[in-house]
Structures are given as C-alpha cells and as structure tokens.
Amino acid sequence: FDESLRRIQCMSLMQELLYRSDQPARIDFADYLRQLCDGLVRSANPTGARLAVVAEPWTVDVDQATPLALIASELVSNALMHAFPTGHPGTVTVELLPDADGMRLTVRDDGVGLPPGLPSPQRRNGGLGLVLVQALAQQANATLRVERGPGTTFTLSIATQSARRSKAA
C-alpha cells in the first residue's frame, strides 16, 4: 500500500509542476527531482539517511518525464528504506548531469549494497521494483546500468531528442 501511495504522490507532483509550467507539455526535471527527493527524505527515510541532489536544468517532455519520474522515485525510496539496515545513516546521492549522448541520472548510496541473491534488473527476474525500473527505462528510451560494490549505483543514460537526431544524421 505504501509503495502504491508513493507512486501516486510521484505522479501528483509531476501534474502539479506541469500545471504551474508555462510549457504545458514539458517539465523542468531538475526541479522535479529536487522536490521529489525532498518529499521522499521526509516521508520514506526510517534510518535518517542524508540525501544530496545535484541536478542541472533539463526541460523534458511529459512522455519521457513520466517514466523517469517513476524510476527516480523507485530508486531513491528503495535506497532510503533498504541501503542502511544497521541503523547508522549514510548518504544517498542523486545526480542529473549532461553526458555525451544526452543526460545521465544516477542514484548512488554508500549503504550495504544489493543482497547477493537479488538478481540484476537486466535479467528481468529481480524484485518487482527492479523489473519496473527496467521496463520504465525502455519506455524512456534510456539504458540502465547497475554497479555493486560498496553501496549500489544505478545509472540511467537518457538519450535526449537532440542526441537522437544527431545520431540519425
């Protein structure tokens, strides 16, 4: 129930920002990320983890923003709830930065890492959240990479429309 409520709140925030936007079909995704993370750290943070957001301005159309918003919500809330089970707070870092092919969304924590038995999202047999993230990444025309080690890093490489046009030329 809590996960469903969180996803509804994620979409509600997007609708609110679209309503206030001067471009009704586009959203400043950096602003969205900051507000989403602020809400998540206040509501879904049982360990008191710190959350740092570094986001370059990026205006994206709502068709691409919707799956990206759900991905960000899923990854950040999972990190806040599961990365620090021993009780000592750590840090979750969210970055939205330009890269060679468009934009890169990274959610990184310095917690315990993914359990060894938990499959990767690339194998499509992970938990429901990881399967959802992979499906949404495809919908957003993005690729997902997961790094295990100390902590966990999810990196989403998002091809922007200008990068897709230059590759097609």
Side-chain angles (χ1 to χ4, degrees):
F1 177 75
D2 287 339
E3 289 180 20
S4 296
L5 180 60
R6 179 182 40 78
R7 290 177 184 134
I8 291 167
Q9 290 170 333
C10 165
M11 299 314 302
S12 175
L13 174 60
M14 180 173 293
Q15 292 301 315
E16 179 182 334
L17 293 177
L18 284 169
Y19 179 74
R20 288 190 275 153
S21 172
D22 58 351
Q23 300 178 45
R26 300 183 62 76
I27 190 170
D28 178 350
F29 201 71
D31 183 40
Y32 173 82
L33 270 179
R34 285 185 201 93
Q35 290 189 44
L36 172 75
C37 290
D38 182 55
L40 288 173
V41 80
R42 284 186 284 128
S43 67
N45 191 7
T47 63
R50 289 178 312 225
L51 184 66
V53 179
V54 177
E56 293 288 322
W58 181 40
T59 303
V60 63
D61 67 75
V62 70
D63 291 338
Q64 193 172 28
T66 301
L68 294 174
L70 288 167
I71 290 169
S73 176
E74 191 72 30
L75 294 178
V76 172
S77 63
N78 281 350
L80 290 171
M81 290 188 290
H82 303 296
F84 311 105
T86 58
H88 57 67
T91 302
V92 177
T93 304
V94 179
E95 297 174 335
L96 179 67
L97 301 170
D99 72 5
D101 293 324
M103 294 299 280
R104 184 182 67 247
L105 174 63
T106 305
V107 177
R108 174 182 315 110
D109 68 69
D110 58 3
V112 297
L114 290 174
L118 189 65
S120 73
Q122 288 85 356
R123 294 201 313 241
R124 294 198 170 272
N125 58 350
L128 177 59
L130 291 178
V131 172
L132 178 64
V133 165
Q134 181 62 34
L136 290 166
Q138 289 178 346
Q139 185 179 342
N141 200 19
T143 57
L144 179 66
R145 188 177 78 241
V146 180
E147 296 173 47
R148 299 169 189 243
T152 304
T153 301
F154 289 88
T155 304
L156 199 65
S157 298
I158 309 154
T160 60
Q161 288 185 358
S162 58
R164 289 191 298 258
R165 278 197 298 269
S166 66
K167 285 184 177 182

